């Protein structure tokens, strides 16, 4: 008995350190800090079951920055989740990163530039987006560029991106991201704010490989120090130059559950405001 008690924590530590990688078994375990914790409970969005859904703790230069649920069948994310800091503006001139572990389980855990510019089975590569302008599309971030003044390099990975209508991306969607950022800055700078940005797949494909989403959505959750909801809500819009609708969390979840034809929760079924 005595030996067992001593060994148990050691085994646990070994297990935890041995599986620290970017494509993870459980992003709640490896990078919980990117998910809202209303009432003290770490509450990620719904994690679909199935081999094509990969949980990614996005890491660059040894720092975890946000989390993504990625769909290797559609080659776009379902959502990216992050703790709100600020928004910043910058364009990337060079290629976007890919996630080596999606196509090679023994690859390094960090996002990387493509070494061999071939099409990869389990993810979009830069070449998939080469003809995007012809179709009026652009590479749209999910987790936005949010690191102060410096270019937030870690958001420039194709696992955090989907084809987005160019006019929508630069216009109504950008305005929506800025609206949420300003709201959280004004109303919640003293508290902790969490944001999830997602896309809902459609029936059109770029390069016959990358799904062009039908909808783009965002949900936010601001928690007071006692972990009660201070502010929450979201927006959802078509991936087209059309107005975006403001929604409360329950309404957002109703839309997403309809689109996915299964229950979907943005903050684990928490962070609602009284009356929702
Ligand atoms: C997978 O990654 C490992 C480690 O970087 C590398 O040695 C190996 O060549 C890679 N395999 C393929 C098929 O690229
Ligand atoms: C790299 O590209 C070559 C041909 O261009 C291909 O034969 C090889 O399988 C590729 N390797 C990987 C790891 O994709």
């Amino acid at each position: 008995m005595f030996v067992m008690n001593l060994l148990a924590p050691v085994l646990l530590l070994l297990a935890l350190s041995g599986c620290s990688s970017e494509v993870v078994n459980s992003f709640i375990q490896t990078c919980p800090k990117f998910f809202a914790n209303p009432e003290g409970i770490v509450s990620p969005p719904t994690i679909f079951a199935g081999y094509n859904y990969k949980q990614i703790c996005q890491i660059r230069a040894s720092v975890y920055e946000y989390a993504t649920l990625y769909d290797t069948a559609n080659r776009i994310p379902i959502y990216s989740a992050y703790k709100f800091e600020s928004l910043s503006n910058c364009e990337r001139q060079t290629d976007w990163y890919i996630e080596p572990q999606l196509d090679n389980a023994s690859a390094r855990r960090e996002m990387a530039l493509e070494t061999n510019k071939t099409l990869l089975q389990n993810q979009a590569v830069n070449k998939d987006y080469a003809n995007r302008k012809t179709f009026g599309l652009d590479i749209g971030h999910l987790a936005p560029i949010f690191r102060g003044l410096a270019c937030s390099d870690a958001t420039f990975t194709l696992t955090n991106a989907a084809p987005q209508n160019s006019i929508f991306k630069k216009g109504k969607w950008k305005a929506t991201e800025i609206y949420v950022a300003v709201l959280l800055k004004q109303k919640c700078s003293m508290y902790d704010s969490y944001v999830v940005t997602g896309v809902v797949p459609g029936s059109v494909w770029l390069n016959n490989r990358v799904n062009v989403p039908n909808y783009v959505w965002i949900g936010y959750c601001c928690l007071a120090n006692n972990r009660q909801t201070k502010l929450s809500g979201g927006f959802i819009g078509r991936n087209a130059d059309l107005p975006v609708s403001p929604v409360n969390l329950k309404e957002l979840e109703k839309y997403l559950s309809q689109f996915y034809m299964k229950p979907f929760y943005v903050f684990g079924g928490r962070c609602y405001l009284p009356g929702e």
Side-chain angles (χ1 to χ4, degrees):
M1 262 338 264
F2 178 69
V3 172
M4 283 297 287
N5 283 340
L6 269 179
L7 272 178
V10 173
L11 289 175
L12 183 63
L13 271 177
L14 281 175
L16 286 175
S17 60
C19 62
S20 150
S21 66
E22 188 174 21
V23 177
V24 295
N25 293 327
S26 157
F27 52 23
I28 314 176
Q29 196 176 55
T30 306
C31 53
K33 66 180 176 180
F34 303 122
F35 305 105
N37 57 345
E39 298 143 49
I41 304 164
V42 178
S43 302
T46 297
I47 300 165
F48 294 141
Y51 284 121
N52 54 314
Y53 300 111
K54 301 293 183 190
Q55 299 175 49
I56 303 177
C57 290
Q58 299 280 12
I59 185 169
R60 210 190 86 74
S62 303
V63 181
Y64 286 116
E65 305 254 3
Y66 57 98
T68 297
L69 183 67
Y70 190 75
D71 178 355
T72 61
N74 286 321
R75 301 191 179 93
I76 52 171
I78 306 289
Y79 54 77
S80 285
Y82 51 100
K83 189 153 186 234
F84 174 76
E85 295 170 63
S86 66
L87 267 185
S88 73
N89 215 342
C90 70
E91 291 288 326
R92 191 176 179 86
Q93 307 302 335
T94 53
D95 283 351
W96 287 53
Y97 296 116
I98 57 146
E99 173 40 60
Q101 290 188 332
L102 285 175
D103 284 274
N104 176 357
S106 49
R108 296 184 64 217
R109 63 182 180 153
E110 300 219 353
M111 57 184 72
L113 290 170
E114 291 171 55
T115 45
N116 204 4
K117 301 227 173 184
T118 50
L119 297 178
L120 294 173
Q121 181 61 33
N122 294 328
Q123 61 191 308
V125 296
N126 285 278
K127 196 177 173 189
D128 286 314
Y129 283 92
N131 285 334
R132 63 186 184 273
K133 304 265 194 252
T134 315
F135 304 101
L137 296 168
D138 218 330
I139 310 179
H141 277 92
L142 270 69
I145 307 157
F146 52 78
R147 272 274 164 125
L149 295 173
C151 245
S152 181
D153 237 21
T155 64
F156 287 91
T157 166
L158 292 177
T159 58
N160 178 47
Q164 202 173 18
N165 176 294
S166 301
I167 299 170
F168 180 64
K169 173 183 141 89
K170 297 190 180 87
K172 295 185 174 72
W173 188 250
K174 182 160 206 175
T176 304
E177 287 180 329
I178 292 171
Y179 178 89
V180 171
V182 170
L183 180 75
L184 296 177
K185 215 163 198 171
Q186 285 181 346
K187 300 261 167 87
C188 278
S189 59
M190 289 154 62
Y191 308 113
D192 291 324
S193 296
Y194 300 86
V195 182
V196 181
T197 307
V199 291
V200 179
S203 50
V204 174
W205 302 75
L206 184 57
N207 200 25
N208 285 321
R209 284 185 17 107
V210 181
N211 190 280
V212 179
N214 262 349
Y215 295 91
V216 185
W217 58 270
I218 190 167
Y220 55 86
C221 166
C222 161
L223 298 172
N225 297 332
N226 63 4
R227 303 289 102 181
Q228 297 298 307
T229 306
K230 199 81 191 162
L231 189 68
S232 70
F235 290 88
I236 186 161
R238 294 282 305 277
N239 187 11
D241 186 27
L242 293 168
V244 171
S245 308
V247 282
N248 67 36
L249 275 190
K250 280 262 166 80
E251 290 166 337
L252 179 59
E253 290 174 340
K254 204 173 152 199
Y255 278 116
L256 296 175
S257 300
Q258 275 170 12
F259 296 149
Y260 282 114
M261 293 184 283
K262 49 194 156 188
F264 190 94
Y265 299 102
V266 178
F267 297 104
R270 298 184 183 84
C271 209
Y272 304 115
L273 285 167
E276 277 179 37

